[in-house]
Amino acid sequence: MVNKGIKFMSLFADMKRQDSITAPKDSVGGTQLLESKVYDAVIKVAYAFQSDKGAKGIKMEFLLEDGTTYKETAYISKQTGDNFFVINNKQYYLPGFILVDELCAVATEAYLSSQETDTRIVKEYDFATKGEVEKEVPVLTGLLNKKVKLGIQKYEEYKSEKQANGSYELVADVVTRNAIDKVFNSDGLTTNELMDGLSEPKFLEEWETKFKGQLVNKKNDKKLAKSKAVKGTGIGSPLTNTAPKKSLFGNK
């Protein structure tokens, strides 16, 4: 039984942006894989979940311009609940948080912390039954049916395999995947461009110049070299040569 009408206005209250954390900049730094390019898309659904160990995430489903569906999951917090990590005493937002936060911004002109949710039923794949099951989830209602543009990359990286002790280690096997690298509003503007009051997109062309049609290399050889699975433990693959909603931009 769905508890329709129940609002979770404070579900993402702890996901607010902080002045002490470096804000992200515009940087170019399905079963069938998509080629790298910018796709027109409609947000079919986006809903929150929490992992068994406490990390918060958002599952997103998009309808692309050719009628196909694209799905992606982003973790917006660590197990501790923090939406940032620290390097050299400096705080940076988690990539998953940046993705969802900017998606909310370009679609609704309000960040994730201002998004309301409502309990809805969705169908999810269940690994136990090996089929789809209905599940009640908190859906970000403000994102439903919003038009956006997605800068999707096709990339390759080393596979991560579960070890006997329950940890995950990189192995030498290379896998090819898709991931959203940048989001734009329906006019092609990024969050930063909207904040700057621009009316003509500039970064979208820069993004496509660098990534369109490319297979992006995300293989981390340094981390692979440090992997316990590669160092001959007998586990894993062997090393081979293979708040009330306010307009975000209303005060500009």
Side-chain angles (χ1 to χ4, degrees), residues 192-221:
N192 289 330
E193 289 174 333
L194 288 168
M195 290 290 290
D196 290 339
L198 300 182
S199 58
E200 295 294 330
K202 294 182 178 180
F203 185 73
L204 188 151
E205 182 178 352
E206 183 180 346
W207 191 96
E208 284 218 309
T209 296
K210 181 167 185 178
F211 294 121
K212 187 174 182 179
Q214 299 298 310
L215 177 62
V216 180
N217 181 7
K218 292 188 178 181
K219 301 193 298 291
N220 192 320
D221 293 321

Side-chain angles (χ1 to χ4, degrees), residues 16-26 83-95 97-98 101-102 111 192:
K16 291 182 179 180
R17 294 200 170 200
Q18 304 174 44
D19 292 338
S20 61
I21 300 180
T22 304
K25 297 179 179 180
D26 295 339
N83 63 343
F84 61 90
F85 60 94
V86 180
I87 296 180
N88 296 327
N89 296 319
K90 193 171 184 178
Q91 297 175 330
Y92 299 90
Y93 290 116
L94 296 174
F97 170 76
I98 293 174
D101 207 38
E102 292 193 346
Y111 285 127
N192 289 330

Side-chain angles (χ1 to χ4, degrees), residues 80-141:
T80 58
D82 294 329
N83 63 343
F84 61 90
F85 60 94
V86 180
I87 296 180
N88 296 327
N89 296 319
K90 193 171 184 178
Q91 297 175 330
Y92 299 90
Y93 290 116
L94 296 174
F97 170 76
I98 293 174
L99 170 61
V100 175
D101 207 38
E102 292 193 346
L103 180 67
C104 292
V106 299
T108 71
E109 296 193 354
Y111 285 127
L112 174 62
S113 60
S114 296
Q115 299 300 318
E116 296 182 5
T117 62
D118 192 8
T119 302
R120 305 284 178 89
I121 289 181
V122 300
K123 289 185 177 180
E124 270 195 353
Y125 181 81
D126 181 67
F127 288 96
T129 61
K130 296 183 179 180
E132 285 190 331
V133 296
E134 292 187 340
K135 185 177 180 180
E136 288 188 14
V137 296
V139 171
L140 283 71
T141 52

Side-chain angles (χ1 to χ4, degrees), residues 12-237:
F12 307 110
D14 57 348
M15 291 287 122
K16 291 182 179 180
R17 294 200 170 200
Q18 304 174 44
D19 292 338
S20 61
I21 300 180
T22 304
K25 297 179 179 180
D26 295 339
S27 173
V28 288
T31 55
Q32 184 175 354
L33 289 169
L34 300 171
E35 295 303 314
S36 298
K37 74 168 194 174
V38 175
Y39 292 83
D40 288 321
V42 175
I43 305 172
K44 293 177 66 176
V45 70
Y47 59 94
F49 72 97
Q50 187 165 308
S51 72
D52 294 337
K53 294 185 178 181
K56 296 178 182 178
I58 303 291
K59 294 186 178 182
M60 300 162 284
E61 187 172 328
F62 303 89
L63 180 65
L64 301 184
E65 52 200 281
D66 64 354
T68 59
T69 296
Y70 177 79
K71 298 180 180 180
E72 187 158 330
T73 298
Y75 280 92
I76 60 176
S77 85
K78 298 186 293 185
Q79 297 174 17
T80 58
D82 294 329
N83 63 343
F84 61 90
F85 60 94
V86 180
I87 296 180
N88 296 327
N89 296 319
K90 193 171 184 178
Q91 297 175 330
Y92 299 90
Y93 290 116
L94 296 174
F97 170 76
I98 293 174
L99 170 61
V100 175
D101 207 38
E102 292 193 346
L103 180 67
C104 292
V106 299
T108 71
E109 296 193 354
Y111 285 127
L112 174 62
S113 60
S114 296
Q115 299 300 318
E116 296 182 5
T117 62
D118 192 8
T119 302
R120 305 284 178 89
I121 289 181
V122 300
K123 289 185 177 180
E124 270 195 353
Y125 181 81
D126 181 67
F127 288 96
T129 61
K130 296 183 179 180
E132 285 190 331
V133 296
E134 292 187 340
K135 185 177 180 180
E136 288 188 14
V137 296
V139 171
L140 283 71
T141 52
L143 297 182
L144 293 174
N145 301 315
K146 289 296 194 303
K147 294 181 179 180
V148 293
K149 293 180 185 292
L150 306 175
I152 297 177
Q153 288 182 346
K154 181 180 180 182
Y155 69 95
E156 59 181 8
E157 67 178 0
Y158 292 121
K159 186 186 297 184
S160 181
E161 287 187 354
K162 191 173 184 179
Q163 308 302 298
N165 62 2
S167 67
Y168 282 83
E169 295 284 347
L170 288 183
V171 297
D173 296 337
V174 177
V175 291
T176 305
R177 296 188 169 106
N178 282 134
I180 301 171
D181 178 70
K182 195 67 179 178
V183 293
F184 310 83
N185 75 353
S186 57
D187 294 323
L189 295 162
T190 68
T191 302
N192 289 330
E193 289 174 333
L194 288 168
M195 290 290 290
D196 290 339
L198 300 182
S199 58
E200 295 294 330
K202 294 182 178 180
F203 185 73
L204 188 151
E205 182 178 352
E206 183 180 346
W207 191 96
E208 284 218 309
T209 296
K210 181 167 185 178
F211 294 121
K212 187 174 182 179
Q214 299 298 310
L215 177 62
V216 180
N217 181 7
K218 292 188 178 181
K219 301 193 298 291
N220 192 320
D221 293 321
K222 289 184 178 180
K223 284 189 176 181
L224 179 67
K226 294 179 180 179
S227 172
K228 295 177 182 178
V230 172
K231 287 184 175 180
T233 60
I235 306 170
S237 301

